[in-house]
Amino acid sequence: MARSVCQLEYYLLLSLVLFSSFFHLNVHARRSRIRLVDGGYERVVIAIGEDVEEDPELIERIKAVFTDVSGFLYSATNQNVYISEIRILLPESWSDQPDYKPNRWERFENSDIRVDVPTAKDNVPYVNKPTGCGEPGLYLHVTPEYLLDEAIGTLYGPYNKTLTHEWAHLRWGVFDEYPLQGDPKFYAASDGSIQGTRCVLAIEGDWRRLNGRRCTVGTDGFPEESDCYFSDMMEPGRHGASLMYRQYLAGLETFCDSEEYVGNWEGGLHNSEAPNKQNKLCDGKSIWEVMRQHSDFADYDTRIHESVYNTTPAFKIVKKESTRTVIVMDVSGSMHGEKIRLLRTAVYNMLNLVLRKGHQVGLVSFSHKSEVIANLTEMDTDGKAMLLQQLPKPERIGGGTSIATGVFKGLDVLAQGHESAAGGKLLVITDGRETSHPKLSRITDEDIEGVVVDTIAVGPSADPSLEQLARTTGGQSYYHLDGTSDIIGAFSAQDAAQRVGTGDLKTVPITSMYQKVKQGKTIKVPFVIDRSTNGCLSVLLTSLHWDAMDAWLKRPDGVIINSTWNEYSNVSEFDLIAFEIEEDVHVGFWELYITNVLDNKTADDFSHVTIVVESGVAENEIPISVSAEWAYSEITPPQKQILYATVARGYVPVIHCHVEATVEFSNSSQASSETLDLLDNGSGADVSAGDGIYSAYFTTFRGAGRYGVKIRVKNIGDETKIANGALVGFGAAIHPKDQADGWIQDLQDTGHFQRQTVGNSFTCTDEELCRENGVDVYPPAQITDLIATNVDFELLQLNLTFTAPGDDLAHGTVSYYEIWLSTDFHSFRENVSSGELLGAENFTDESFLSPSPAGTEEVLTHTVNGTDGSFSYFFAVIAVDDEGNRGPVSNIASSSFRDFRPIGSSWFIGLILAIGIVLFLALLVAAILVFCAFLKGATGRKDHYSVQHYQKCPENGTAAESVGLKAATPIDGTGPALC
């Protein structure tokens, strides 16, 4: 009899987590297969989302738009690159057509460009890019409306310019040169003037408010109104760059470059002083300087250009077939006992919950030889029952290990009824090294062409070739400690990664854990069900002594659900206690109680229990989901490892969450774990604040080997918000007047919620550099948010503000800061030591000698000397750790030393008072002389004295943007009109 999702879940939740991550790859797991051949990009994949309505016109628009993009890309890169081949991947739900081919290696989750439902920023094209300078983004996102409706598309400028702008984010890892939300829109230039933030100074314009009026200049030289922006001249001018600025401007045809390459052409000269993302995160390099460091332009200076007369891409349309997966399971002798028991349970739950109708699954087992347990089978009720009956039995475990023989057999099963195995997926699970032939080294690229392989290494002894197999095929690797039931909790990765943003989730992992329960004791496990996940509820407990456990649930309204309820079940075949609630799932705080009633059944006085809580998505709701991934699958210190976790409701970021990671490691001699707090604050490892991508460096290695990770997420009181209107990554610019409403985010309360997932694994490869308490190879992280205020001439002070880095990148506390000062920007940028190293006497206190912990805002007050002038101070900060390791030079911040105060400020008042005193004394002397003359009875002639009166100009003069002193004009109108 068919079962509902929740009826099935009571078995399933055990393994759900990990297995769902195998079938639905993490949002960060994009594995692009683009290759550059003779200047042409091949294998570019544009994938249309499952929720996009079928529309043949959309296919034609994709062809037309990207044909135009290819030609413009060729021109913008000085005839270096274009797009020669594009594969358009259609959803499985679209109708079949004679010219549609079945997909092979093309997949939505690994596509380069996604055409999918509207984003958090409506129809703005953007690239999801949590990565650093020069590192590729994850994917380019556009909406069907953007492509189909030119009134929407051209808001961002011509399609060819806009998508070339985004391609540069995606492929070459450069950043925007216009001010993003929260970035300075104006800055102090070398001559002390205040300039609008832009990439090329030859771009002309003035200062305007969103209502079109001119801005009011404050006493510090900056505009007083928060909505003031640099209004670019829309017509072509002296500029020709840069496309990473406001790409909609007429005249922008290429990217900015250094003086070495542009010579005297100011229209393409990079402005390295502007405080934009490109300069802050790429050390002031121009776009072309970063691009030339990419392999696409490795021979830029020596390449002999052969003209390409046709830049039109060749288009191939492929359609997603029903998903084919073969589970390849290790049944060698080392998998006996607890491991095979948990593996059986995990597969059982995956078949019932994770896989959808229409999915085909096959089963293969291997030891020193392989066996087909089940050929590809449709996931209907009968198919699931048949597969479950065929799962390997614990009593049949034994033999050596040949992973390759299992992989080859799995490929054979995938190919059944198809032209080849291409388009399918293998899930390979093993705990040991290969002891029998054939070995993984025998597998060629041709053997696995078009097949994705995900791998699970169970314990530290699993063969190190597993990760290479996954990397080669665009798959993911996972790691789970053996010797515990913790593998089941780690398997609870959500069923969201492949379909992130689409709202196609059916269940959400709430929490999973591995607990020790002493005999006769009771533990309490609280958890939260939010309004988007109250469709149904499953709570699972598994233990070697499951029959000695008594468990009950307490609902938010206080009602107790125990073994007398129909929602409670014992599943002896899989050693489970399950609570399954199909309806009336109360929103709020739940409590699970577990009592160990074990009596003399073991020498230990405790039992381990694995707990998994999963809830179903409520009708018409899009739940908050979590996905996580390491930046690198293999590293050697001092390479920087970064963990990313995305928290989102569909494509909309969820901000101000508490995101905690537990990193687990074990080898033959030890096991350990480390807790990390991931932040979305735009400093340290985090590239952009408020985009829902939380990041952290990992530096506390415990030895060479594999590292796995679990992520837990919860709200922080009322601070956590769904940020409708926030942008994920980096998008195309739109004219500020056209996005006036977009400056304000619509923040929606999340209420109380919690989530959990697992990320992929990585391997630390060097015994010496990876060992605990080894050489300190990590200096403090680079400071990228240094800001300087303009000089306060009342106090002769300015403030420096930045986020404190840590002793090891962004962890711990640095020992002290080096703060450098210069008035020569270009020399300072080339060599910070060309400036002056400031000491304690240059600050109001010595706080910079006692740094704050990583992540804390530092505010330092610098005292200045001298009178005003037409120049700016430039500052840079270097953090130093306890081993004397100096971090990278920070971004350079500027502070103008011009005095922008208008007439009426304190110095002018002093001048007026001085003049008044002189006049008073002169009048007093005159009065005395008159009096004396009167006393002497002079001839009667009188001396006449007149004082010329002056009025001052209106404070804003005749030009609202002009600043500084205003000249005086005689009140009678005579003399020059100087205002």
Side-chain angles (χ1 to χ4, degrees), residues 221-238:
F222 288 98
E224 292 183 346
E225 298 87 359
S226 61
D227 66 341
C228 184
Y229 68 95
F230 183 79
S231 178
D232 311 277
M233 182 178 70
M234 298 298 292
E235 297 77 20
R238 295 183 296 119

Side-chain angles (χ1 to χ4, degrees), residues 1-10 12 352-353 536 580 582:
M1 182 173 62
R3 298 181 179 180
S4 70
V5 169
C6 283
Q7 287 175 322
L8 295 171
E9 278 181 343
Y10 82 106
L12 330 164
N352 280 288
L353 182 64
C536 58
E580 177 261 315
E582 288 193 15

Side-chain angles (χ1 to χ4, degrees), residues 562-678:
N562 56 27
S563 59
T564 64
W565 286 55
N566 292 333
E567 287 80 1
Y568 177 100
S569 302
N570 288 326
V571 189
S572 58
E573 183 179 356
F574 292 94
D575 301 337
L576 290 174
I577 294 175
F579 293 90
E580 177 261 315
I581 302 172
E582 288 193 15
E583 54 187 17
D584 194 26
V585 180
H586 290 225
V587 172
F589 293 91
W590 289 67
E591 294 173 352
L592 169 66
Y593 293 87
I594 306 170
T595 299
N596 184 352
V597 296
L598 190 66
D599 184 17
N600 297 324
K601 291 187 179 182
T602 177
D604 296 327
D605 64 350
F606 60 85
S607 294
H608 290 106
V609 180
T610 297
I611 303 158
V612 182
V613 179
E614 185 97 1
S615 62
V617 177
E619 188 175 359
N620 299 322
E621 287 282 350
I622 300 176
I624 294 170
S625 61
V626 182
S627 59
E629 188 185 23
W630 293 103
Y632 303 102
S633 58
E634 183 176 289
I635 72 158
T636 300
Q639 185 180 9
K640 298 174 185 177
Q641 180 63 291
I642 303 174
L643 178 62
Y644 302 109
T646 299
V647 186
R649 181 181 179 269
Y651 282 113
V652 181
V654 179
I655 59 175
H656 305 313
C657 298
H658 177 71
V659 181
E660 181 182 88
T662 301
V663 182
E664 296 179 328
F665 167 77
S666 72
N667 57 23
S668 58
S669 60
Q670 65 168 319
S672 64
S673 63
E674 182 77 18
T675 300
L676 289 178
D677 286 329
L678 278 65

Side-chain angles (χ1 to χ4, degrees), residues 21-210:
S21 67
F22 303 140
F23 286 86
H24 306 284
L25 283 180
N26 193 291
V27 66
H28 293 303
R30 189 183 73 87
R31 299 290 184 266
S32 175
R33 296 201 181 191
I34 294 177
R35 61 188 182 191
L36 184 63
V37 178
D38 296 331
Y41 291 112
E42 299 178 347
R43 295 188 163 196
V44 176
V45 177
I46 300 177
I48 300 175
E50 281 289 343
D51 290 343
V52 176
E53 293 185 6
E54 184 169 357
D55 185 355
E57 178 60 24
L58 180 58
I59 299 174
E60 298 307 311
R61 281 295 295 164
I62 290 173
K63 291 180 178 180
V65 166
F66 282 92
T67 295
D68 195 22
V69 169
S70 177
F72 185 80
L73 182 66
Y74 185 63
S75 172
T77 58
N78 300 331
Q79 300 184 341
N80 273 272
V81 296
Y82 66 103
I83 304 174
S84 59
E85 181 197 16
I86 292 177
R87 302 182 181 215
I88 303 174
L89 175 63
L90 306 182
E92 184 178 356
S93 59
W94 283 31
S95 304
D96 292 324
Q97 297 295 332
D99 57 337
Y100 297 171
K101 304 297 181 183
N103 71 308
R104 294 170 60 85
W105 50 268
E106 307 89 354
R107 288 171 173 78
F108 181 87
E109 64 270 23
N110 290 351
S111 61
D112 305 292
I113 301 168
R114 296 182 180 184
V115 181
D116 209 351
V117 294
T119 70
K121 202 73 171 175
D122 297 325
N123 293 294
V124 59
Y126 73 92
V127 170
N128 189 332
K129 179 176 161 49
T131 52
C133 182
E135 299 177 357
L138 303 178
Y139 58 84
L140 193 168
H141 184 288
V142 297
T143 65
E145 291 79 8
Y146 169 80
L147 293 171
L148 292 169
D149 188 341
E150 292 193 28
I152 292 175
T154 54
L155 282 174
Y156 308 93
Y159 285 98
N160 55 9
K161 288 187 177 182
T162 301
L163 295 175
T164 296
H165 173 108
E166 297 306 322
W167 183 268
H169 284 313
L170 177 71
R171 181 69 180 177
W172 306 312
V174 297
F175 293 97
D176 288 317
E177 295 182 300
Y178 64 90
L180 302 175
Q181 191 167 357
D183 287 345
K185 291 177 282 184
F186 301 88
Y187 70 99
S190 288
D191 63 358
S193 64
I194 305 303
Q195 294 286 341
T197 299
R198 60 199 191 277
C199 62
V200 173
L201 288 174
I203 296 175
E204 299 175 356
D206 59 6
W207 300 9
R208 295 282 178 175
R209 299 183 60 187
L210 294 178

Side-chain angles (χ1 to χ4, degrees), residues 10 19 68 163 210 242 335 339 344 445 730 867 893 954:
Y10 82 106
F19 275 84
D68 195 22
L163 295 175
L210 294 178
S242 170
M335 286 290 292
K339 293 178 184 177
R344 280 171 46 85
D445 291 344
F730 297 91
T867 58

